[in-house]
Amino acid sequence: MIYQRSSQLFAEAEKVIPGGVNSPVRAFKGVGGTPLFAKSAKGAYLYDEDDNRLIDYINSWGPMILGHAYQPVVDAVIEKAKKGTSFGMPTELETKIAELAIAMVPNIDKIRFVNSGTEACMSAIRLARAYTKKDKIIKFSGCYHGHSDSFLIAAGSGLSTFGVPNSPGVTQGTAKDTLLAHYNDIENVKALFEANLNEIAAVIIEPVAGNMGCVPPKEGFLQALKEVCHNHNALLIFDEVMTGFRLAKGGAQELYGVNADIACFGKVIGGGLPVGAFAAREEIMNFLAPLGPVYQAGTLSGNPLAMAAGYAMLQALNSDVAIYDRLEAKTAYLHQGIEKVLKANNIVFTINRVGSMISVHFDANPVVDFQTAKNGDNDTFKKFFHGMLHEGVYIAPSAYETWFITDALTYEDLDITIEAVNKVAKTL
Ligand SMILES: *Cc1c(COP(=O)(O)O)cnc(C)c1O
């Protein structure tokens, strides 16, 4: 495979864009080499600037659940664009997508649209703090909630229960209000509540973690979390930016039968355009301006092109009764196929999977939290990544990412992928 034009484009980009990219994980820092530049995509395939065809398991990091350039979404955007691309006034379409999202997701009465998952999570914790009149939040190590200051926090050392900034520019003052817990460890969460009585506004969690590989919640963990939050008058926030409209129509809330107090969305909800949203019961959402005191706004929020794309996407998912079963069946097939060839090649590995999310870890032990996710052999992953790329299969350029299965993938594509894993495994 030749990456000549991509390499040239990257060199040009580096002169005018920090690191050549507008979001760091695109830069291949975790695996070495230089990133491919996309030229176009259709269905299950990406085409790069050197005209290589790649089977895509990143899918824009989640949104393209029905494959690239899904026709109803493309058509909806084109038709809308002809009528004006932004008004700064309310439009009927915003109400329609809100009604549809509320019908699909359990336990929400109202929804507010923003422009990214970051904005959704940032606004959700502001709302939770205002609603509970408390300042601190608990997040879990290895969960990602976007790049706003409150979430760029690492665990403090030793016995300190509060976090420390994990990016320069985040202040100590912000960090002290974010407490770090271990994923899947309810006793740890209880201890944090005990040590910070009447101070915790909310617990925010990826109900299936997807930013340390795919890490499912242990049986009963989300239910227990809900109970602990309830006992301490704290809100439970599900960050469903990755899982929303992906694991089920109603996301992880539906899949696990646990109601969150606030749910955050992004990725799939925008059909590939920049959309985020957060939603809750009426009494919580009514705290938002202009009804309530909590300020939150956006010049391009509810943008007509973005709403058109999102509405077409949600309609497609809502009207296809078999979609989630189909996605799960394809993912299970891939899981079994990869497991078989890795075993046959004596590779040490663990595969995690929920619905259409799957991750391959090069470690024999179960991956249940950030600590165990970090045990994976990164050198093996790097070789695996580049080997797969060479075979025409594009997985995320980081050992801490989930693969996303789309409905556009055929069983033939999956077989090609499994055979690629078999070939690459022989070189590891
Ligand atoms: C991607 C992601 C975000 C951030 O969304 P952006 O649209 O990139 O700002 C937040 N939470 C989770 C779980 C995500 O996967």
Side-chain angles (χ1 to χ4, degrees), residues 100-386:
L100 181 55
I102 289 166
M104 291 172 78
V105 175
N107 189 44
I108 61 172
D109 300 322
K110 290 187 178 177
I111 185 165
R112 174 64 63 84
F113 285 92
V114 293
N115 305 291
S116 66
T118 294
E119 272 185 72
C121 296
M122 175 186 88
S123 306
I125 57 161
R126 183 182 303 147
L127 181 58
R129 284 169 165 156
Y131 185 79
T132 60
K133 301 189 171 61
K134 294 186 273 191
D135 287 347
K136 291 185 179 171
I137 58 165
I138 293 178
K139 84 171 279 285
F140 294 87
S141 296
C143 282
Y144 181 67
H145 306 294
H147 64 95
S148 86
D149 286 7
S150 300
F151 301 123
L152 295 184
I153 308 294
S157 58
L159 293 175
S160 82
T161 58
F162 43 75
V164 296
N166 73 353
S167 166
V170 175
T171 66
Q172 219 22 276
T174 298
K176 76 173 180 17
D177 286 328
T178 301
L179 311 174
L180 269 288
H182 303 303
Y183 201 84
N184 273 326
D185 183 349
I186 195 68
E187 293 310 320
N188 182 217
V189 177
K190 285 181 183 166
L192 284 175
F193 269 104
E194 290 303 325
N196 298 271
L197 275 181
N198 299 318
E199 290 188 282
I200 294 170
V203 174
I204 186 166
I205 187 167
E206 290 180 69
V208 173
N211 287 290
M212 46 176 156
C214 170
V215 178
K218 282 186 181 157
E219 172 127 37
F221 178 62
L222 297 175
Q223 283 86 349
L225 208 52
K226 170 86 196 174
E227 202 180 301
V228 176
C229 286
H230 185 84
N231 291 343
H232 289 274
N233 293 316
L235 300 188
L236 177 60
I237 303 173
F238 274 7
D239 176 355
E240 298 229 39
V241 170
M242 194 180 280
T243 53
F245 306 97
R246 170 170 288 282
L247 297 184
K249 271 189 215 177
Q253 288 195 87
E254 178 185 328
L255 187 66
Y256 293 100
V258 178
N259 286 340
D261 296 300
I262 304 178
C264 303
F265 299 100
K267 300 192 169 120
V268 172
I269 201 173
L273 269 78
V275 180
F278 59 106
R281 297 186 306 275
E282 183 159 10
E283 75 254 28
I284 297 175
M285 290 307 276
N286 286 353
F287 258 65
L288 284 176
L291 271 187
V294 178
Y295 194 68
Q296 187 280 321
T299 301
L300 291 179
S301 292
N303 173 268
L305 301 193
M307 295 294 97
Y311 190 52
M313 176 63 92
L314 296 196
Q315 276 183 312
L317 294 172
N318 194 41
S319 61
D320 185 342
V321 290
I323 177 75
Y324 294 105
D325 290 340
R326 225 160 45 233
L327 285 168
E328 168 140 35
K330 286 178 185 178
T331 314
Y333 182 86
L334 186 68
H335 181 166
Q336 284 150 18
I338 293 178
E339 189 167 81
K340 194 168 153 210
V341 296
L342 287 181
K343 266 191 191 148
N345 287 287
N346 297 316
I347 306 289
V348 170
F349 69 97
T350 297
I351 296 177
N352 283 354
R353 166 171 68 91
V354 178
S356 55
M357 296 164 63
I358 181 169
S359 57
V360 179
H361 305 261
F362 292 104
D363 189 61
N365 298 310
V367 175
V368 297
D369 58 13
F370 192 44
Q371 212 47 45
T372 45
K374 280 196 291 198
N375 290 340
D377 183 336
N378 215 28
D379 288 332
T380 304
F381 179 81
K382 286 180 196 176
K383 277 190 226 153
F384 181 69
F385 168 82
H386 284 290

